[in-house]
Amino acid sequence: LFHGNVFSRNNDCIAEFGHLTYQENGRLCSCKRKGCYSQYASMKALRTNIARRKNYSHLQNEDVLSLLKQKDEIALEEFQKQNEILQKLIGNLANILSPQKIILGGSFSYFKKFIPLSFYENKEHWYNRHSDCKIEITDFGNDLGLLGAAFQKDYIRRV
């Protein structure tokens, strides 16, 4: 949220911070660019990285969650790497926008119960390490984008 509103530009789209560049000439993204954060910190990225390291041809979301519940070493390592990448993105957003709150949605909501408290408190990548900005993970999952779009177009009453 930015000044109490969903952050967007000219009311025509919700910000897609997962498509900021993380790694120059990195992995090809569905947006046709290379190196987007979403290719390194998302459920899809986590599935891909774990499957590659375990020599599996494919993993479902439920498989990843099961491996995390079982405290599988490779799954936990990949999950930690992803959290570090995500913390850099959050730090960059906080440095640029100084928002009141950063709400993570989409596939991150699947991980909510696995994310340690330190994730929400780590401000290593923030210029203002004393910021009162809150980090939350929504319970709306992949529907968060639809909800944000509805807010933008006033299809639902603003809270």
mmCIF file of all heavy atoms in Angstrom, residues 122-157:
data_model
loop_
_atom_site.group_PDB
_atom_site.id
_atom_site.type_symbol
_atom_site.label_atom_id
_atom_site.label_comp_id
_atom_site.label_asym_id
_atom_site.label_seq_id
_atom_site.Cartn_x
_atom_site.Cartn_y
_atom_site.Cartn_z
ATOM 1 N N ASN A 122 14.104 -8.633 9.085
ATOM 2 C CA ASN A 122 15.413 -8.393 8.480
ATOM 3 C C ASN A 122 15.352 -7.177 7.555
ATOM 4 O O ASN A 122 14.653 -7.181 6.558
ATOM 5 C CB ASN A 122 15.856 -9.625 7.691
ATOM 6 C CG ASN A 122 17.237 -9.465 7.098
ATOM 7 O OD1 ASN A 122 17.789 -8.378 7.027
ATOM 8 N ND2 ASN A 122 17.803 -10.556 6.654
ATOM 9 N N LYS A 123 16.093 -6.148 7.913
ATOM 10 C CA LYS A 123 16.133 -4.935 7.094
ATOM 11 C C LYS A 123 17.559 -4.643 6.643
ATOM 12 O O LYS A 123 17.956 -3.498 6.461
ATOM 13 C CB LYS A 123 15.515 -3.778 7.869
ATOM 14 C CG LYS A 123 14.027 -4.025 8.116
ATOM 15 C CD LYS A 123 13.310 -2.861 8.706
ATOM 16 C CE LYS A 123 11.842 -3.214 8.821
ATOM 17 N NZ LYS A 123 11.064 -2.180 9.475
ATOM 18 N N GLU A 124 18.319 -5.713 6.441
ATOM 19 C CA GLU A 124 19.719 -5.609 6.024
ATOM 20 C C GLU A 124 19.875 -4.814 4.732
ATOM 21 O O GLU A 124 20.841 -4.089 4.549
ATOM 22 C CB GLU A 124 20.291 -7.020 5.853
ATOM 23 C CG GLU A 124 21.661 -7.079 5.258
ATOM 24 C CD GLU A 124 22.107 -8.510 4.964
ATOM 25 O OE1 GLU A 124 21.435 -9.469 5.385
ATOM 26 O OE2 GLU A 124 23.133 -8.656 4.300
ATOM 27 N N HIS A 125 18.922 -4.940 3.801
ATOM 28 C CA HIS A 125 19.033 -4.307 2.488
ATOM 29 C C HIS A 125 18.303 -2.959 2.425
ATOM 30 O O HIS A 125 18.138 -2.404 1.355
ATOM 31 C CB HIS A 125 18.492 -5.245 1.409
ATOM 32 C CG HIS A 125 19.218 -6.546 1.358
ATOM 33 N ND1 HIS A 125 20.499 -6.667 0.858
ATOM 34 C CD2 HIS A 125 18.870 -7.773 1.790
ATOM 35 C CE1 HIS A 125 20.894 -7.922 0.964
ATOM 36 N NE2 HIS A 125 19.929 -8.610 1.527
ATOM 37 N N TRP A 126 17.865 -2.462 3.563
ATOM 38 C CA TRP A 126 17.125 -1.207 3.618
ATOM 39 C C TRP A 126 18.066 -0.067 3.961
ATOM 40 O O TRP A 126 18.911 -0.195 4.845
ATOM 41 C CB TRP A 126 16.040 -1.267 4.684
ATOM 42 C CG TRP A 126 14.964 -2.280 4.457
ATOM 43 C CD1 TRP A 126 15.105 -3.533 3.951
ATOM 44 C CD2 TRP A 126 13.587 -2.141 4.770
ATOM 45 N NE1 TRP A 126 13.896 -4.183 3.923
ATOM 46 C CE2 TRP A 126 12.949 -3.333 4.427
ATOM 47 C CE3 TRP A 126 12.836 -1.108 5.311
ATOM 48 C CZ2 TRP A 126 11.588 -3.540 4.595
ATOM 49 C CZ3 TRP A 126 11.481 -1.311 5.484
ATOM 50 C CH2 TRP A 126 10.857 -2.509 5.121
ATOM 51 N N TYR A 127 17.896 1.048 3.296
ATOM 52 C CA TYR A 127 18.658 2.241 3.671
ATOM 53 C C TYR A 127 18.232 2.679 5.074
ATOM 54 O O TYR A 127 19.052 2.935 5.930
ATOM 55 C CB TYR A 127 18.426 3.360 2.649
ATOM 56 C CG TYR A 127 19.048 4.664 3.070
ATOM 57 C CD1 TYR A 127 20.429 4.827 3.012
ATOM 58 C CD2 TYR A 127 18.262 5.710 3.549
ATOM 59 C CE1 TYR A 127 21.011 6.011 3.422
ATOM 60 C CE2 TYR A 127 18.839 6.893 3.952
ATOM 61 C CZ TYR A 127 20.211 7.035 3.895
ATOM 62 O OH TYR A 127 20.784 8.202 4.309
ATOM 63 N N ASN A 128 16.913 2.756 5.296
ATOM 64 C CA ASN A 128 16.380 3.148 6.602
ATOM 65 C C ASN A 128 16.034 1.880 7.386
ATOM 66 O O ASN A 128 14.921 1.384 7.317
ATOM 67 C CB ASN A 128 15.145 4.039 6.446
ATOM 68 C CG ASN A 128 14.545 4.440 7.776
ATOM 69 O OD1 ASN A 128 15.083 4.122 8.848
ATOM 70 N ND2 ASN A 128 13.429 5.135 7.736
ATOM 71 N N ARG A 129 16.991 1.375 8.103
ATOM 72 C CA ARG A 129 16.775 0.131 8.856
ATOM 73 C C ARG A 129 15.814 0.305 10.031
ATOM 74 O O ARG A 129 15.428 -0.652 10.660
ATOM 75 C CB ARG A 129 18.121 -0.426 9.323
ATOM 76 C CG ARG A 129 18.948 -0.925 8.154
ATOM 77 C CD ARG A 129 20.235 -1.585 8.615
ATOM 78 N NE ARG A 129 20.937 -2.153 7.487
ATOM 79 C CZ ARG A 129 21.879 -1.520 6.804
ATOM 80 N NH1 ARG A 129 22.238 -0.306 7.125
ATOM 81 N NH2 ARG A 129 22.479 -2.111 5.794
ATOM 82 N N HIS A 130 15.437 1.531 10.314
ATOM 83 C CA HIS A 130 14.496 1.811 11.407
ATOM 84 C C HIS A 130 13.089 2.088 10.887
ATOM 85 O O HIS A 130 12.230 2.522 11.645
ATOM 86 C CB HIS A 130 14.998 2.988 12.251
ATOM 87 C CG HIS A 130 16.371 2.759 12.794
ATOM 88 N ND1 HIS A 130 16.632 1.822 13.778
ATOM 89 C CD2 HIS A 130 17.555 3.305 12.465
ATOM 90 C CE1 HIS A 130 17.927 1.822 14.042
ATOM 91 N NE2 HIS A 130 18.518 2.708 13.261
ATOM 92 N N SER A 131 12.855 1.825 9.625
ATOM 93 C CA SER A 131 11.550 2.055 9.015
ATOM 94 C C SER A 131 10.478 1.265 9.766
ATOM 95 O O SER A 131 10.710 0.151 10.228
ATOM 96 C CB SER A 131 11.580 1.599 7.554
ATOM 97 O OG SER A 131 10.277 1.576 7.027
ATOM 98 N N ASP A 132 9.287 1.838 9.841
ATOM 99 C CA ASP A 132 8.173 1.135 10.472
ATOM 100 C C ASP A 132 7.297 0.410 9.438
ATOM 101 O O ASP A 132 6.214 -0.061 9.746
ATOM 102 C CB ASP A 132 7.331 2.084 11.326
ATOM 103 C CG ASP A 132 6.697 3.207 10.520
ATOM 104 O OD1 ASP A 132 6.989 3.322 9.311
ATOM 105 O OD2 ASP A 132 5.909 3.970 11.110
ATOM 106 N N CYS A 133 7.779 0.318 8.212
ATOM 107 C CA CYS A 133 7.073 -0.413 7.165
ATOM 108 C C CYS A 133 6.887 -1.866 7.586
ATOM 109 O O CYS A 133 7.806 -2.514 8.074
ATOM 110 C CB CYS A 133 7.867 -0.357 5.859
ATOM 111 S SG CYS A 133 7.172 -1.339 4.524
ATOM 112 N N LYS A 134 5.688 -2.366 7.414
ATOM 113 C CA LYS A 134 5.367 -3.753 7.763
ATOM 114 C C LYS A 134 5.404 -4.626 6.510
ATOM 115 O O LYS A 134 5.019 -4.189 5.427
ATOM 116 C CB LYS A 134 3.975 -3.847 8.387
ATOM 117 C CG LYS A 134 3.789 -2.977 9.611
ATOM 118 C CD LYS A 134 4.597 -3.485 10.771
ATOM 119 C CE LYS A 134 4.348 -2.639 12.000
ATOM 120 N NZ LYS A 134 5.523 -2.183 12.662
ATOM 121 N N ILE A 135 5.861 -5.850 6.692
ATOM 122 C CA ILE A 135 5.852 -6.833 5.609
ATOM 123 C C ILE A 135 4.827 -7.887 5.985
ATOM 124 O O ILE A 135 4.846 -8.415 7.099
ATOM 125 C CB ILE A 135 7.232 -7.479 5.428
ATOM 126 C CG1 ILE A 135 8.269 -6.414 5.087
ATOM 127 C CG2 ILE A 135 7.181 -8.560 4.345
ATOM 128 C CD1 ILE A 135 9.693 -6.914 5.160
ATOM 129 N N GLU A 136 3.925 -8.168 5.060
ATOM 130 C CA GLU A 136 2.898 -9.176 5.299
ATOM 131 C C GLU A 136 2.805 -10.110 4.100
ATOM 132 O O GLU A 136 3.166 -9.730 2.987
ATOM 133 C CB GLU A 136 1.530 -8.526 5.523
ATOM 134 C CG GLU A 136 1.422 -7.732 6.799
ATOM 135 C CD GLU A 136 0.028 -7.161 7.006
ATOM 136 O OE1 GLU A 136 -0.908 -7.514 6.247
ATOM 137 O OE2 GLU A 136 -0.114 -6.342 7.921
ATOM 138 N N ILE A 137 2.292 -11.286 4.363
ATOM 139 C CA ILE A 137 1.984 -12.227 3.282
ATOM 140 C C ILE A 137 0.491 -12.472 3.342
ATOM 141 O O ILE A 137 -0.052 -12.821 4.385
ATOM 142 C CB ILE A 137 2.781 -13.532 3.425
ATOM 143 C CG1 ILE A 137 4.281 -13.233 3.358
ATOM 144 C CG2 ILE A 137 2.369 -14.525 2.339
ATOM 145 C CD1 ILE A 137 5.166 -14.442 3.518
ATOM 146 N N THR A 138 -0.158 -12.241 2.235
ATOM 147 C CA THR A 138 -1.607 -12.346 2.183
ATOM 148 C C THR A 138 -2.090 -13.790 2.267
ATOM 149 O O THR A 138 -1.349 -14.721 1.943
ATOM 150 C CB THR A 138 -2.147 -11.708 0.886
ATOM 151 O OG1 THR A 138 -3.565 -11.798 0.888
ATOM 152 C CG2 THR A 138 -1.619 -12.419 -0.344
ATOM 153 N N ASP A 139 -3.326 -13.944 2.665
ATOM 154 C CA ASP A 139 -3.983 -15.254 2.638
ATOM 155 C C ASP A 139 -4.753 -15.440 1.328
ATOM 156 O O ASP A 139 -5.350 -16.484 1.106
ATOM 157 C CB ASP A 139 -4.956 -15.393 3.823
ATOM 158 C CG ASP A 139 -4.225 -15.496 5.141
ATOM 159 O OD1 ASP A 139 -3.154 -16.130 5.185
ATOM 160 O OD2 ASP A 139 -4.732 -14.950 6.143
ATOM 161 N N PHE A 140 -4.737 -14.412 0.456
ATOM 162 C CA PHE A 140 -5.493 -14.474 -0.791
ATOM 163 C C PHE A 140 -4.779 -15.249 -1.893
ATOM 164 O O PHE A 140 -5.348 -15.473 -2.952
ATOM 165 C CB PHE A 140 -5.833 -13.068 -1.290
ATOM 166 C CG PHE A 140 -6.867 -12.367 -0.461
ATOM 167 C CD1 PHE A 140 -6.510 -11.305 0.343
ATOM 168 C CD2 PHE A 140 -8.185 -12.780 -0.471
ATOM 169 C CE1 PHE A 140 -7.443 -10.650 1.115
ATOM 170 C CE2 PHE A 140 -9.132 -12.148 0.298
ATOM 171 C CZ PHE A 140 -8.765 -11.074 1.101
ATOM 172 N N GLY A 141 -3.534 -15.625 -1.678
ATOM 173 C CA GLY A 141 -2.808 -16.428 -2.656
ATOM 174 C C GLY A 141 -2.750 -15.768 -4.017
ATOM 175 O O GLY A 141 -2.537 -14.566 -4.141
ATOM 176 N N ASN A 142 -2.970 -16.568 -5.047
ATOM 177 C CA ASN A 142 -2.902 -16.064 -6.411
ATOM 178 C C ASN A 142 -4.074 -15.168 -6.773
ATOM 179 O O ASN A 142 -4.088 -14.560 -7.837
ATOM 180 C CB ASN A 142 -2.794 -17.229 -7.403
ATOM 181 C CG ASN A 142 -1.419 -17.853 -7.361
ATOM 182 O OD1 ASN A 142 -0.423 -17.154 -7.199
ATOM 183 N ND2 ASN A 142 -1.350 -19.161 -7.486
ATOM 184 N N ASP A 143 -5.077 -15.076 -5.898
ATOM 185 C CA ASP A 143 -6.214 -14.197 -6.144
ATOM 186 C C ASP A 143 -5.928 -12.752 -5.766
ATOM 187 O O ASP A 143 -6.744 -11.875 -6.010
ATOM 188 C CB ASP A 143 -7.451 -14.685 -5.380
ATOM 189 C CG ASP A 143 -7.972 -16.003 -5.922
ATOM 190 O OD1 ASP A 143 -7.695 -16.323 -7.099
ATOM 191 O OD2 ASP A 143 -8.660 -16.717 -5.169
ATOM 192 N N LEU A 144 -4.773 -12.470 -5.162
ATOM 193 C CA LEU A 144 -4.454 -11.113 -4.733
ATOM 194 C C LEU A 144 -4.441 -10.159 -5.927
ATOM 195 O O LEU A 144 -4.921 -9.032 -5.822
ATOM 196 C CB LEU A 144 -3.112 -11.059 -3.997
ATOM 197 C CG LEU A 144 -2.739 -9.684 -3.447
ATOM 198 C CD1 LEU A 144 -3.735 -9.234 -2.388
ATOM 199 C CD2 LEU A 144 -1.341 -9.705 -2.874
ATOM 200 N N GLY A 145 -3.915 -10.588 -7.057
ATOM 201 C CA GLY A 145 -3.892 -9.735 -8.238
ATOM 202 C C GLY A 145 -5.292 -9.378 -8.710
ATOM 203 O O GLY A 145 -5.558 -8.239 -9.103
ATOM 204 N N LEU A 146 -6.208 -10.333 -8.648
ATOM 205 C CA LEU A 146 -7.599 -10.061 -9.028
ATOM 206 C C LEU A 146 -8.247 -9.071 -8.074
ATOM 207 O O LEU A 146 -8.957 -8.158 -8.482
ATOM 208 C CB LEU A 146 -8.408 -11.366 -9.032
ATOM 209 C CG LEU A 146 -8.005 -12.398 -10.079
ATOM 210 C CD1 LEU A 146 -8.767 -13.689 -9.859
ATOM 211 C CD2 LEU A 146 -8.262 -11.850 -11.471
ATOM 212 N N LEU A 147 -7.968 -9.247 -6.794
ATOM 213 C CA LEU A 147 -8.505 -8.334 -5.796
ATOM 214 C C LEU A 147 -7.964 -6.925 -6.001
ATOM 215 O O LEU A 147 -8.710 -5.947 -5.965
ATOM 216 C CB LEU A 147 -8.169 -8.844 -4.395
ATOM 217 C CG LEU A 147 -8.752 -8.088 -3.218
ATOM 218 C CD1 LEU A 147 -10.265 -8.111 -3.266
ATOM 219 C CD2 LEU A 147 -8.253 -8.681 -1.916
ATOM 220 N N GLY A 148 -6.664 -6.806 -6.235
ATOM 221 C CA GLY A 148 -6.060 -5.503 -6.488
ATOM 222 C C GLY A 148 -6.640 -4.853 -7.731
ATOM 223 O O GLY A 148 -6.925 -3.644 -7.747
ATOM 224 N N ALA A 149 -6.857 -5.636 -8.773
ATOM 225 C CA ALA A 149 -7.439 -5.095 -10.006
ATOM 226 C C ALA A 149 -8.855 -4.596 -9.758
ATOM 227 O O ALA A 149 -9.257 -3.546 -10.261
ATOM 228 C CB ALA A 149 -7.431 -6.159 -11.101
ATOM 229 N N ALA A 150 -9.614 -5.329 -8.957
ATOM 230 C CA ALA A 150 -10.974 -4.912 -8.632
ATOM 231 C C ALA A 150 -10.956 -3.596 -7.854
ATOM 232 O O ALA A 150 -11.783 -2.716 -8.102
ATOM 233 C CB ALA A 150 -11.681 -5.997 -7.834
ATOM 234 N N PHE A 151 -10.014 -3.441 -6.924
ATOM 235 C CA PHE A 151 -9.884 -2.178 -6.197
ATOM 236 C C PHE A 151 -9.577 -1.047 -7.166
ATOM 237 O O PHE A 151 -10.128 0.045 -7.063
ATOM 238 C CB PHE A 151 -8.764 -2.257 -5.152
ATOM 239 C CG PHE A 151 -9.230 -2.701 -3.805
ATOM 240 C CD1 PHE A 151 -9.005 -4.006 -3.386
ATOM 241 C CD2 PHE A 151 -9.870 -1.826 -2.946
ATOM 242 C CE1 PHE A 151 -9.422 -4.419 -2.136
ATOM 243 C CE2 PHE A 151 -10.280 -2.228 -1.696
ATOM 244 C CZ PHE A 151 -10.066 -3.536 -1.282
ATOM 245 N N GLN A 152 -8.682 -1.284 -8.099
ATOM 246 C CA GLN A 152 -8.279 -0.236 -9.030
ATOM 247 C C GLN A 152 -9.445 0.221 -9.896
ATOM 248 O O GLN A 152 -9.555 1.380 -10.242
ATOM 249 C CB GLN A 152 -7.147 -0.717 -9.934
ATOM 250 C CG GLN A 152 -5.813 -0.761 -9.247
ATOM 251 C CD GLN A 152 -5.434 0.574 -8.663
ATOM 252 O OE1 GLN A 152 -5.461 0.735 -7.460
ATOM 253 N NE2 GLN A 152 -5.095 1.536 -9.475
ATOM 254 N N LYS A 153 -10.280 -0.686 -10.283
ATOM 255 C CA LYS A 153 -11.382 -0.352 -11.186
ATOM 256 C C LYS A 153 -12.670 -0.063 -10.424
ATOM 257 O O LYS A 153 -13.721 0.064 -11.004
ATOM 258 C CB LYS A 153 -11.612 -1.496 -12.195
ATOM 259 C CG LYS A 153 -10.412 -1.755 -13.089
ATOM 260 C CD LYS A 153 -10.062 -0.532 -13.890
ATOM 261 C CE LYS A 153 -8.852 -0.780 -14.765
ATOM 262 N NZ LYS A 153 -8.386 0.408 -15.440
ATOM 263 N N ASP A 154 -12.560 0.016 -9.071
ATOM 264 C CA ASP A 154 -13.715 0.297 -8.202
ATOM 265 C C ASP A 154 -14.839 -0.710 -8.386
ATOM 266 O O ASP A 154 -16.010 -0.371 -8.228
ATOM 267 C CB ASP A 154 -14.226 1.720 -8.423
ATOM 268 C CG ASP A 154 -13.300 2.752 -7.806
ATOM 269 O OD1 ASP A 154 -12.701 2.450 -6.760
ATOM 270 O OD2 ASP A 154 -13.175 3.843 -8.376
ATOM 271 N N TYR A 155 -14.506 -1.958 -8.728
ATOM 272 C CA TYR A 155 -15.546 -2.980 -8.818
ATOM 273 C C TYR A 155 -15.992 -3.414 -7.421
ATOM 274 O O TYR A 155 -17.084 -3.917 -7.264
ATOM 275 C CB TYR A 155 -15.038 -4.205 -9.589
ATOM 276 C CG TYR A 155 -14.808 -3.924 -11.051
ATOM 277 C CD1 TYR A 155 -13.655 -4.350 -11.680
ATOM 278 C CD2 TYR A 155 -15.755 -3.222 -11.805
ATOM 279 C CE1 TYR A 155 -13.440 -4.091 -13.030
ATOM 280 C CE2 TYR A 155 -15.536 -2.961 -13.137
ATOM 281 C CZ TYR A 155 -14.391 -3.397 -13.749
ATOM 282 O OH TYR A 155 -14.170 -3.142 -15.063
ATOM 283 N N ILE A 156 -15.133 -3.210 -6.465
ATOM 284 C CA ILE A 156 -15.516 -3.477 -5.080
ATOM 285 C C ILE A 156 -15.252 -2.216 -4.283
ATOM 286 O O ILE A 156 -14.405 -1.408 -4.628
ATOM 287 C CB ILE A 156 -14.794 -4.702 -4.483
ATOM 288 C CG1 ILE A 156 -13.286 -4.527 -4.512
ATOM 289 C CG2 ILE A 156 -15.199 -5.968 -5.168
ATOM 290 C CD1 ILE A 156 -12.537 -5.673 -3.886
ATOM 291 N N ARG A 157 -16.008 -2.067 -3.210
ATOM 292 C CA ARG A 157 -15.861 -0.879 -2.374
ATOM 293 C C ARG A 157 -14.512 -0.845 -1.711
ATOM 294 O O ARG A 157 -14.059 -1.840 -1.164
ATOM 295 C CB ARG A 157 -16.955 -0.884 -1.313
ATOM 296 C CG ARG A 157 -17.165 0.438 -0.652
ATOM 297 C CD ARG A 157 -18.381 0.346 0.240
ATOM 298 N NE ARG A 157 -18.055 -0.356 1.470
ATOM 299 C CZ ARG A 157 -17.649 0.251 2.589
ATOM 300 N NH1 ARG A 157 -17.552 1.552 2.607
ATOM 301 N NH2 ARG A 157 -17.390 -0.423 3.666
#
